[in-house]
Amino acid sequence: MNKAKVLLEALPYIQKFHNKIFVIKYGGHAMIDENAKNYTAQDIVLLKYVGIKPVIVHGGGPEINRAMEKFGKKPEFIHGLRVTDEETLNIVEMVLTGKINGEIVSRIFKFGGKAVGLSGKSGRIILAKKKRKFIEKDGKKVEVDLGRVGETVEINTELLDILINNNYIPVISPIGIDEKGDAYNLNADTVAGDIASALKAEKLILITDVDGIMEDINDPSTVYKKLTVSDVKRLLKEGKIKGGMIPKVECAIKALESGGVKSVHIINGKIPHALLVEIFTEEGIGTMITKK
Amino acid sequence: MNKAKVLLEALPYIQKFHNKIFVIKYGGHAMIDENAKNYTAQDIVLLKYVGIKPVIVHGGGPEINRAMEKFGKKPEFIHGLRVTDEETLNIVEMVLTGKINGEIVSRIFKFGGKAVGLSGKSGRIILAKKKRKFIEKDGKKVEVDLGRVGETVEINTELLDILINNNYIPVISPIGIDEKGDAYNLNADTVAGDIASALKAEKLILITDVDGIMEDINDPSTVYKKLTVSDVKRLLKEGKIKGGMIPKVECAIKALESGGVKSVHIINGKIPHALLVEIFTEEGIGTMITKK
Amino acid sequence: MNKAKVLLEALPYIQKFHNKIFVIKYGGHAMIDENAKNYTAQDIVLLKYVGIKPVIVHGGGPEINRAMEKFGKKPEFIHGLRVTDEETLNIVEMVLTGKINGEIVSRIFKFGGKAVGLSGKSGRIILAKKKRKFIEKDGKKVEVDLGRVGETVEINTELLDILINNNYIPVISPIGIDEKGDAYNLNADTVAGDIASALKAEKLILITDVDGIMEDINDPSTVYKKLTVSDVKRLLKEGKIKGGMIPKVECAIKALESGGVKSVHIINGKIPHALLVEIFTEEGIGTMITKK
Amino acid sequence: MNKAKVLLEALPYIQKFHNKIFVIKYGGHAMIDENAKNYTAQDIVLLKYVGIKPVIVHGGGPEINRAMEKFGKKPEFIHGLRVTDEETLNIVEMVLTGKINGEIVSRIFKFGGKAVGLSGKSGRIILAKKKRKFIEKDGKKVEVDLGRVGETVEINTELLDILINNNYIPVISPIGIDEKGDAYNLNADTVAGDIASALKAEKLILITDVDGIMEDINDPSTVYKKLTVSDVKRLLKEGKIKGGMIPKVECAIKALESGGVKSVHIINGKIPHALLVEIFTEEGIGTMITKK
Amino acid sequence: MNKAKVLLEALPYIQKFHNKIFVIKYGGHAMIDENAKNYTAQDIVLLKYVGIKPVIVHGGGPEINRAMEKFGKKPEFIHGLRVTDEETLNIVEMVLTGKINGEIVSRIFKFGGKAVGLSGKSGRIILAKKKRKFIEKDGKKVEVDLGRVGETVEINTELLDILINNNYIPVISPIGIDEKGDAYNLNADTVAGDIASALKAEKLILITDVDGIMEDINDPSTVYKKLTVSDVKRLLKEGKIKGGMIPKVECAIKALESGGVKSVHIINGKIPHALLVEIFTEEGIGTMITKK
Amino acid sequence: MNKAKVLLEALPYIQKFHNKIFVIKYGGHAMIDENAKNYTAQDIVLLKYVGIKPVIVHGGGPEINRAMEKFGKKPEFIHGLRVTDEETLNIVEMVLTGKINGEIVSRIFKFGGKAVGLSGKSGRIILAKKKRKFIEKDGKKVEVDLGRVGETVEINTELLDILINNNYIPVISPIGIDEKGDAYNLNADTVAGDIASALKAEKLILITDVDGIMEDINDPSTVYKKLTVSDVKRLLKEGKIKGGMIPKVECAIKALESGGVKSVHIINGKIPHALLVEIFTEEGIGTMITKK
C-alpha cells in the first residue's frame, strides 16, 4: 500500500508530462561510475514507459582524454586555446559515437528500452559550421584557428521526429556536419539546448557531477531549488556562477528565452535516481530554472 | 530516493503490460464506500497513464434494490426466482446507466482520466437474447419466464476499439440489446468476462468485497495467492468455493479457457489501492487465476 | 415511377447536405407518443444513410416530473424559482441518461442505425459551471442558489468528432461536468445550440410539440415559414413570441449569429415525419430561421 | 408526408446496398433518346448520393455505324463475319471514348455527380488479347482473322478502386490493351460482367431497350420478374432466350457463378427511372437473375 | 564506365527535380512522326521512373483538320475567324479524347508507364466558359460568336492530385466543361499553362516543331538558350517573336509571373529525346525562360 | 543525344528494380582508396534517386588493425585462433561505428543522400549470441573461447523498415547485441546476407577488391559473369574458390536458397562506378550468382 501511495504521488507528474519531450544531457563526468550509468539508463526507460519522450545527448570529456593519451596524441594549443586537428576529431568521433554512444544504447536496451544511437551527422541532425574564435593580442582582435570545432547552424528534426513517434529513444553524439560533408566537434551542452529548442521540448535536463547551482560552491546544502532566468542573470553578474557552470546556464537561458523550453534542470548524476526524484517529486533534487 | 525505488520496482510490470487491455469489473458491493470508489478510480487513471488500457464494467446490486424500494416496486418471484418485468428493467437501467455509470465517469474525470460511459446498447456492444431458465417441477423440466433477463449473444468490439485507440476509458453498464431493439439486464461478471474475451484482454480483474478465494471463508489469511484453472475446478468440486463466488470463478474459467485472457484476479475493493498492489507487486493482494 | 420522382425531388437536398452535420434537439413533449418517437428515429436513420451526419440532443421534461413524484420528491422553490438539489440531480440524470437516452439509442438501432448514448459528462463533452441567478428583491439584486443547474463553459468536440467520423450517431443528454468532476443539469435547447455551434453544424433542428413560430399561437395556419434573425428579434420585441418559445429562439439567434450554423428549424414532432418533410421539401413544415 | 413515406420505403434498400458497388452497363440502343439519357444519369447520381458506388460501362452500337458511314468506311466481312481493321478500330475508339463516354460524363456532371471518363486502356484497366474465332469450312475448322476484336485477359482494379474510394464515378469504354500496347475493341456486356466480377460488385445492371427476359418476346406483360441461374439455363435450352439477349444472359451467368456478383438485372432504359424502380422497390421493373 | 558517367551527370538534375511536377505540352505538329512520338513517350516514362511527376496536355491540330475533311465538314468563318459549331466540337472531342489521347496512353504503356487518359471534363478538371471575342468593325467594337470555343475559369486539381500521388501519369485533352455541363474546345498551350500554375509545377515544357525562340527564325543556330520574362517581353515588342510562337510565350509569361512555375521550356519534338537533353544537361537543347 | 541513349538504356533496369531493396556490403579492403570511396557513395546516391532502396553494411578490416597497433594492443591467439577480448571489442566498435560508419554517412551526405549510421545494437537490429567454436585437439573436440565474437540470432527489421520507408539510407556496422545487452563483433559479409534475407532484398551486392569469382585467380579475364548456386557449389567442391572468397559465397548461397534474395553480386570496388555498371548494364562487371 505504501508502494501504491508512491505511484499515486507520481501520477500528477506523469499526467502533466504525458507525451512531452525531455532532452537529457548526460555528461562525461556523470558517466564514470557504473552505478550512476545504470541509474540513469533505468530512469530513462521508466520515463519512456510512463509516457514521456526522452531524447539523449551525451558528451565524453574524460574518456576522450584517455583515448588521446593511448593514441599518443598530445593536446595542441594556440594562444592557450586547445586545437582540434583532423586526427583529434577522429579520436573524438570514435570515442563519442563508437564507444560512449553505444554504451548508452546497450544500457537502455538492458533495462528494456529501445534506443537508437546516432551521430549528429546522421540524417543531418546537426548542421554545423566552423566556430570562429577571436582573441585580443597586442590590443588587436586576432582570429585563432581552433580546427574542427563547430557550432550549430540548424537542427534538422525530421529523423528525430520519426524515431520519437515510433517509440525509439534517440541517443545523439555532438558531432555535426557542414554542407560540404565535413565533420565538427560541438559542445554537448549547447547541442542539447539547441535540440531541446528545435523539438520544443518541455524540459532540458543537464546531468552533471554537482548538485546544482549553489550559493556556496563547497556547500551542497546551499543549492538553489528554483531560479528564474533573471535570478540566474543576476548570479552571473555577481560572479556566483563560475567555471564549467557558466556555459551550462548560458545554454539554459537561451533554451528558455528563445526556444520555448519550459524548464531547465541541473542535477547530480552521482545521486542514485536523481532524474526520477527531480521529475516526480515536488521538492526535486537539483536546480530548476524557469523563464519566470 | 525511496520513491524512485518504488517506481522502478513497478517498471517490469509497466513494461510487461504496456498497451495491454485490462477489463476491470467494479462491483456493487465494492462501490458503497466513498474512499473505495476514489481508490479504484485513481488506480484506473494511473493504469491508463502508465500505458495500460483499462476497460470498466460495473454492476449495481445494492443501489438497484434501494431504487426499487423508493419507486415502491416490490420484487416479484416465480418458483422462488426473481423476475425482471418491464418496469424493473427501467429502474435497473436508470440506476446502472443513469447513476452508477455516470458516477464512475465523473470520478475518473476528477482524477484526470478521459472516460466514456456507455450502456451495452450503444454501438450494439452487447448483443443479447432472452435468457431461458428451466426448473424441475413435479419431476418435469418446466421453463420459467424471468422477464427481461438476458445473456450475451456476441460482443461487438468496434466501438470499444475506437474509444480505446483514441485513449478513452470505456465504462460499460451490463445492459444488452437484442436484434429487435429490446433491452435486457445481464450479469455484470459474465459480461466483463465476455468483453475481456472479445477484446483479447491480458487480465480480467474482478473487484469484490472479499479478499479472494479463501481456504476458510472466515479467515482472510487463508487466501490462495495463485491458482490454476484445474485448482479452481477441484475447489469447486470439493465445495470450497461457495455462494456468489461460484459465478465469478465460472466466468474466470471461461475467459481463461476459451477467451485467451492470460489471468483473472479477484481482489477486495475495500483494501486501499488493491488494484495497484495486485498489478504492480510480485506478491499481489488477492487471488490470481491462470490457465496453467 | 412516382416513387422515383419523389426520390429525385429529394436529390438536390441530399447533395446540398452531403456530409453536413445536423444537430437535432428532440424534446420532452415531442417524445410522449410512441408513433412520434418512431417517426423521428426512422427519419434520423434515413438522414444518416443519405449522407447527413445527425447528432441528437434530448431533454426529458415530463418524464422527470413523473419520476420525481414516484420517488416522493417534492419540487423545491426559492423566490418562485425551482431548485435542483443533489437528490433531484440524481433523478434527472437517471431519467435523462438512464432512460430517455437509452430509449432513443434502442429505437435508432431498431431502424438500422448505429447510435451511441452519452451523458455530456463522458469525454467531458459539456464542460459546465454553476449557473448564477440574480433576482430583484426590495430593489436590490440578490443571488438565488438554484443548486445543481449549470451552463456551458465549453463544448469539447473530440469525442463527438471521433464518433461522427466512424459513422455513429451520438445521442447526448444535457448533463455537464465542471473541472472538479461535479455534475450539472443544463437546458437541452441551449446545449443543442452550443453543440451545433461547436461542431459548425449546417442545421440546428428543434423538434417541439408546436408547429413553429406562429403569428397567432392558436392558429397553426399562421406559422411563419421563413424568418431571418432580424424578423425574430422584431417579433420578440413586439411580444409575439411567448413562453417556452423564447429560450428556443434565443438559442437559435446565438447559434446563427456567432456559431456559424446556417439555419435553425422549429418543427412539430407530432406531425409524422416532420423532420424529412422539413429537410427534403422546398415548402418545409415548420419555421426556418436564417441569418439573413 | 407522402414524400416522406416514399423515402422511407427506399430506406431498407439504401441500408442494404450501403457502400456496395453496382456495375451498370448502359447501352447503345438505350442511349438514343435524350430523355432516357437524362433519366439514367440522374438515377446514377442519386445512387451515388445515397451511398451506393456506381461504375458505368458503356457500348455504342448505332453511333459507331453512323460514324463509319460518315467516314465513308464500308463494313468488311470475311466468311460472313464483320472485321475490325485498324481504321475501323480508330473510328470505334473515337466514338466510344471521344463521344459517348464524354457525353455520359457531362450528363452526370450536369446532375451533380463527379464522373471520370476512361478508356479501358487507361491504367491498363482492361488487359486484353486478340480474340480468336474459328469457323467450319468444308468440314474443317478454319481460323478467321476478325482484326482488332479482343477479349479480356484480366481486369486491373487498382485505378478503379482509387477513383471509387475518392468518390468518383468511373465511366469506362470497352477498349482494351494488350501487353505490347495494341488496342482492341471488346463486347461491352462482357466487359461489364468482367469488371463486376473483378470489383466483387453487389449488382450488375444491364440497361437495354427491352423490358427484360420475356416468356413471349412480343408481350412485355410476360416479363420474368425473378429468375435463378438454373431457370435461365433451362430457358436457353428451350430456345426461349434469343438473339442479342443470349450474350447478355451468358455474361450474367458467368458473373453470378464465378464472379461473386449477387444479382444481375436486365431493365429497359426507355422506361423513365427504370434504374431507381428496379433497385428501390420490392416488385422491380425488369428481370432480376440470382444464383439461387 | 562511360555509361556510369552519363548517369552521374544526370544525378544533380534528378536530385533537384525529385518529386517535382513537370507539365508537358505535346503538340499536334510534334506528333506526326512515329519516331518522335516514341521518343517523347519513352522520355516521359524515364522522367517518371527517376522521380519526376509528369503531367501531359496534348493538342491535335493537323489530325482534327483531316478528320473534318473526312466527315465532309467545311470550316466556317465569321469575319475571318474560325467558328466551332456543335458538330465541329464533336469532331474535335472525338479526335482529341478518342484518338490522340488514347494513342499517347498506349505509347506510354508500351514503354512501361502507367498513364490515365482524361478529357478535361472528367472530374471537372477544366471548368470553362464561352470565350468572348470582340473585333473592330466600322470603328465599333463588335462581338463575334465563335461557337464552342472556351477559356479556363478554374483548374480543379483534386483528381490530378489523386492520380499523381498514386503514381499515374495524367494525359489530358484540352476540352473543358461549364457549370451547366456544356463542353468547350480550349487552346492546348493555354490549358497546359493553367494546369502548370494550378499544380504549382516546377516546369512547363512546350514541345513544338521548332528549335525554340530564335533571333532569326530561319537559322536554328540563333536559338536563345536562356531568356528571362523581361527578355521575352522585349523580343515581343521588337516584333522578333511571331506567329504561333506569340500565344506560347504569352502563356509562358503568365505561368512564370503569376503561377509560380519556375521555368518554361520550348523545345523541338523532332529532335530525338529533346526532352531528356533539355532536362538533364547543362546546355539544354531549346529555349528556357525563367522569371529572372 | 548520346547521353539520352545511355539514360534510356538504364530505363529497363530502373523499372525492374523500382522500390526494390539492395543490400550492399562495402568492405574494408574496398574502402582504402579515396576515389573508390567516392565512386561507391555517389553510385549509392544515384541508386536511391532512381527509386532503388539501398541498405549499406560495412566491415573494417585494415583500419581495425591499425587502430589496435596505435592502442598498443597485441593480437591474442588461442590455438591459432584470434581472440576478441573486451578491450579489442571496444576498439572494433570505435573504429567501425565511430569512424568508418561516420565516414560513409558523410560521403553519402556530400553527394546529396540522406544516410543514417547505425550500430547493429541500435533498435536491436542485430540480435546476436556468442559464437561457439570447436577445434580438434588430441583427437577430441575442444571448445575454444574466442571472446566477444558473435553470430546472428535474429535480424529485427522494424527500425530499418521505418528508415527505408522514410527515404533514409541505413548504414550498419556489424556489431550485435544479446538479450542481456552485451555487444559482439560479427562477420560483415554474414550480417549483410542475414539483413538481405530479413528485408527480402532483391539483390545482395558484395563490394570487394577482386573482380569476382575467377577461373584463374590471377587472371581477371577469367571472371565468371553468371553462376548459379549449383555452379558455385561445384566450384567449391573442385577447390576453385579459395580463401576469403569462401565465406562470401557461403553467405551468398544461404541468402539465395533460404532468404528469398534474387541475386548476389561480387564486384571490385576499385573499378570506378562498378556498382552502376553491374546494375545498369546487361554485361555487368563482376560475378552474378542466382538461384537457378
Side-chain angles (χ1 to χ4, degrees), chain B residues 121-249:
Chain B
K121 301 196 294 190
S122 279
R124 217 213 57 178
I125 296 170
I126 307 170
L127 184 68
K129 64 176 182 192
K130 193 179 166 64
K131 186 172 183 155
R132 301 185 65 182
K133 181 77 192 177
F134 297 90
I135 58 163
E136 283 241 346
K137 200 186 155 186
D138 307 335
K140 282 187 293 184
K141 224 176 148 186
V142 178
E143 183 162 7
V144 187
D145 185 350
L146 298 180
R148 305 298 289 272
V149 174
E151 62 187 7
T152 304
V153 172
E154 191 189 51
I155 299 297
N156 184 355
T157 63
E158 191 200 69
L159 177 58
L160 296 178
D161 288 336
I162 290 167
L163 293 173
I164 293 168
N165 291 336
N166 281 285
N167 287 311
Y168 287 94
I169 302 170
V171 178
I172 306 159
S173 64
I175 303 295
I177 193 166
D178 72 6
E179 291 288 10
K180 286 176 301 178
D182 290 330
Y184 292 90
N185 183 21
L186 284 87
N187 177 278
D189 290 321
T190 314
V191 163
D194 294 339
I195 288 176
S197 297
L199 292 173
K200 299 180 204 321
E202 177 80 11
K203 289 187 186 300
L204 166 64
I205 301 172
L206 304 171
I207 305 182
T208 65
D209 57 354
V210 295
D211 286 358
I213 302 176
M214 290 174 271
E215 172 72 24
D216 172 355
I217 211 164
N218 298 313
D219 180 0
S221 75
T222 65
V223 163
Y224 292 105
K225 286 286 180 188
K226 288 187 187 180
L227 292 173
T228 63
V229 164
S230 59
D231 293 337
V232 172
K233 284 181 177 169
R234 185 178 36 76
L235 290 172
L236 276 170
K237 218 182 265 171
E238 294 171 7
K240 285 201 178 138
I241 296 173
K242 291 169 195 160
M245 190 57 82
I246 295 175
K248 285 181 202 299
V249 299

Side-chain angles (χ1 to χ4, degrees), chain B residues 21-24 26 44 48 52-58 101 104-105 108 114-119 125 157-173 195 199, chain C residues 118 122-123 159:
Chain B
I21 292 172
F22 286 14
V23 172
I24 299 165
Y26 193 164
I44 287 167
K48 180 75 194 77
I52 291 165
K53 298 172 167 177
V55 172
I56 315 305
V57 177
H58 65 86
N101 190 285
I104 298 174
V105 167
I108 289 175
K114 298 194 306 178
V116 175
L118 296 164
S119 158
I125 296 170
T157 63
E158 191 200 69
L159 177 58
L160 296 178
D161 288 336
I162 290 167
L163 293 173
I164 293 168
N165 291 336
N166 281 285
N167 287 311
Y168 287 94
I169 302 170
V171 178
I172 306 159
S173 64
I195 288 176
L199 292 173
Chain C
L118 296 164
S122 279
L159 177 58

Side-chain angles (χ1 to χ4, degrees), chain D residues 26-206:
Chain D
Y26 192 164
H29 296 280
M31 287 178 66
I32 291 174
D33 182 68
E34 190 72 7
N35 284 334
K37 290 180 195 174
N38 279 338
Y39 293 150
T40 308
Q42 208 179 356
D43 292 0
I44 286 166
V45 173
L46 186 89
L47 293 184
K48 181 74 193 75
Y49 270 97
V50 300
I52 292 165
K53 298 171 166 176
V55 172
I56 315 304
V57 176
H58 64 87
E63 294 233 27
I64 292 172
N65 296 339
R66 266 177 293 153
M68 288 186 66
E69 266 173 48
K70 280 227 170 180
F71 266 100
K73 178 78 193 166
K74 295 242 171 67
E76 194 191 338
F77 291 85
I78 302 181
H79 302 287
L81 290 164
R82 188 189 193 126
V83 175
T84 302
D85 61 11
E86 194 80 22
E87 204 187 343
T88 303
L89 180 68
N90 275 346
I91 298 171
V92 167
E93 278 199 71
M94 283 199 291
V95 173
L96 286 178
T97 310
K99 186 161 193 302
I100 297 176
N101 191 287
E103 255 184 68
I104 297 174
V105 167
S106 292
R107 230 172 268 270
I108 288 175
F109 176 75
K110 187 172 130 189
F111 290 108
K114 299 195 304 179
V116 175
L118 296 164
S119 157
K121 300 196 294 190
S122 278
R124 217 214 54 179
I125 296 170
I126 306 171
L127 184 68
K129 62 175 183 193
K130 193 178 164 66
K131 186 171 183 158
R132 302 186 65 181
K133 181 77 190 177
F134 297 89
I135 58 164
E136 283 240 346
K137 199 187 157 184
D138 307 336
K140 283 188 291 183
K141 226 175 147 186
V142 177
E143 183 162 6
V144 187
D145 185 349
L146 298 180
R148 306 299 290 270
V149 174
E151 61 187 8
T152 305
V153 172
E154 192 188 49
I155 299 297
N156 184 355
T157 63
E158 192 199 69
L159 177 58
L160 296 178
D161 288 337
I162 290 168
L163 294 173
I164 293 168
N165 292 336
N166 282 286
N167 286 310
Y168 287 93
I169 302 170
V171 177
I172 306 157
S173 63
I175 303 295
I177 193 164
D178 72 7
E179 290 290 8
K180 286 177 301 179
D182 290 329
Y184 291 91
N185 183 23
L186 284 88
N187 176 279
D189 290 321
T190 314
V191 164
D194 293 339
I195 288 177
S197 296
L199 291 172
K200 298 181 204 320
E202 177 81 12
K203 290 187 186 299
L204 166 63
I205 302 173
L206 304 172

